[in-house]
Amino acid sequence: DAKTTQPTSMDCAEGRAANLPCNHSTISGNEYVYWYRQIHSQGPQYIIHGLKNNETNEMASLIITEDRKSSTLILPHATLRDTAVYYCIVGDNAGNMLTFGGGTRLMVKP
Amino acid sequence: GAVVSQHPSWVICKSGTSVKIECRSLDFQATTMFWYRQFPKQSLMLMATSNEGSKATYEQGVEKDKFLINHASLTLSTLTVTSAHPEDSSFYICSARDLSVNSYEQYFGPGTRLTVT
């Protein structure tokens, strides 16, 4: 079973920030939070990951709560091409397989 | 970033026939690759872990005699769906991780859509 819970769907206006929440209350100390997204009929694409600290890259920012039981993926200026299913995944850093939950279907609207 | 390719991108086959899907890491070596299956409007489900030079590890409920996995080289894993039936119609996706770099990223192939008629 997936270790994360996410809203089924969200809408966001083009150009605005998209904030995607994820709960992972059973995360253990050595587990990371990974975010991937899947555009329709394509393979998933890595976005970002983190352990304890907030992280930022060219695609997004990841905010992890101090107790690590939840996190938020932020797309600062959503575009129509960001419409996708976003998966929050908890896993180790040993290269093991990823367990996908239901994800959040983000719809960016003009 | 590293690239994983799959071939074919889509295939239609008749019930009872076998279909082979290839997964290649194009610019890195992958001792381990993963095979996922995704039904319409559902999430990805891990089928098996493919290990170079050894037997694959299958997830519970996945028939190893039906879904044959071969990982004969560090850049190629194949998934053969034997005696395919319409219920095997799905989107099959592979992934791999480049262990030669300090990266936590898994690279996914573009997927193969299998339709069994």
Side-chain angles (χ1 to χ4, degrees):
Chain A
D1 290 337
K3 301 179 182 179
T4 63
T5 56
Q6 299 175 251
T8 304
S9 64
M10 292 181 63
D11 289 346
C12 177
E14 187 180 16
R16 306 298 291 267
N19 298 295
L20 292 89
C22 178
N23 287 323
H24 32 78
S25 58
T26 60
I27 191 171
S28 60
N30 65 342
E31 289 184 315
Y32 288 71
V33 179
Y34 297 86
W35 283 83
Y36 283 76
R37 73 179 182 184
Q38 185 179 26
I39 296 171
H40 183 63
S41 293
Q42 297 182 23
Q45 174 192 24
Y46 167 85
I47 301 172
I48 199 168
H49 77 279
L51 181 63
K52 286 190 276 191
N53 300 323
N54 297 336
E55 303 287 344
T56 295
N57 62 20
E58 64 278 5
M59 289 183 68
S61 294
L62 174 60
I63 308 299
I64 302 174
T65 58
E66 193 169 342
D67 63 8
R68 303 211 317 127
K69 292 185 177 182
S70 65
S71 61
T72 301
L73 178 74
I74 301 173
L75 307 179
H77 305 287
T79 70
L80 299 179
R81 286 178 294 183
D82 292 322
T83 292
V85 178
Y86 287 77
Y87 295 99
C88 168
I89 301 166
V90 166
D92 62 26
N93 65 339
N96 292 328
M97 71 288 182
L98 302 173
T99 300
F100 286 79
T104 295
R105 185 172 299 275
L106 175 69
M107 179 74 72
V108 180
K109 298 184 174 180
Chain B
V3 176
V4 173
S5 71
Q6 284 184 239
H7 178 79
S9 55
W10 60 270
V11 57
I12 301 173
C13 72
K14 292 189 175 181
S15 187
T17 62
S18 296
V19 174
K20 180 185 287 187
I21 301 170
E22 294 184 348
C23 176
R24 293 182 185 272
S25 56
L26 295 186
D27 47 5
F28 67 100
Q29 294 182 334
T31 55
T32 301
M33 292 183 174
F34 304 100
W35 285 96
Y36 296 83
R37 179 169 54 181
Q38 185 175 34
F39 293 108
K41 297 190 184 302
Q42 294 187 22
S43 187
L44 284 78
M45 295 294 293
L46 179 69
M47 297 177 66
T49 302
S50 171
N51 303 298
E52 187 269 334
S54 64
K55 291 183 179 180
T57 304
Y58 291 82
E59 294 300 298
Q60 191 173 10
V62 178
E63 301 174 56
K64 62 180 180 181
D65 294 330
K66 179 171 181 63
F67 298 98
L68 302 179
I69 291 174
N70 185 281
H71 194 154
S73 79
L74 288 172
T75 59
L76 173 64
S77 175
T78 61
L79 168 69
T80 301
V81 183
T82 64
S83 187
H85 288 95
E87 57 265 31
D88 298 322
S89 297
S90 188
F91 194 48
Y92 291 86
I93 307 170
C94 69
S95 74
R97 185 179 166 196
D98 184 357
L99 296 178
S100 68
V101 298
N102 185 23
S103 170
Y104 300 93
E105 180 176 351
Q106 279 215 18
Y107 301 97
F108 285 82
T112 296
R113 187 163 301 283
L114 170 63
T115 302
V116 184
T117 61

